[in-house]
Amino acid sequence: VLSFTGSSITAASKTNLGEDYPSHCVALAKSLCSLTYFDESLVWAKKACEAEPNNQHFRIVLADAHFLAGDCDRACKMY
């Protein structure tokens, strides 16, 4: 089982990526969805939205992750 939520990955990403961190978080979230790691995808999509709360693209990725993880009600409220 793969784990993408470790604090070492998060800390390294924030330190090394700076302003690109949210974009990389959402890219990882999209990749994880493609690999059917929906719960892990939610973690990274939330990080992207926390870093850039007004970014509509990131919010759509988060809504998609909720939908694919089975939380259709929450996803529909976000769309």
Side-chain angles (χ1 to χ4, degrees):
V1 175
L2 296 173
S3 176
F4 296 97
T5 58
S7 60
S8 61
I9 293 173
T10 303
S13 297
K14 284 183 180 178
T15 302
N16 298 332
L17 298 175
E19 66 185 42
D20 292 331
Y21 176 74
S23 296
H24 288 279
C25 287
V26 85
L28 181 55
K30 290 166 69 174
S31 296
L32 290 168
C33 271
S34 296
L35 295 168
T36 69
Y37 290 100
F38 304 126
D39 292 333
E40 292 85 355
S41 176
L42 278 169
V43 171
W44 290 98
K46 286 177 185 177
K47 289 178 187 291
C49 288
E50 289 169 1
E52 287 189 26
N54 295 323
N55 188 313
Q56 293 303 311
H57 172 71
F58 294 173
R59 292 185 52 76
I60 294 298
V61 172
L62 179 58
D64 290 345
H66 278 295
F67 180 80
L68 292 168
D71 193 350
C72 298
D73 291 335
R74 182 172 284 170
C76 288
K77 290 177 184 176
M78 297 180 78
Y79 284 128

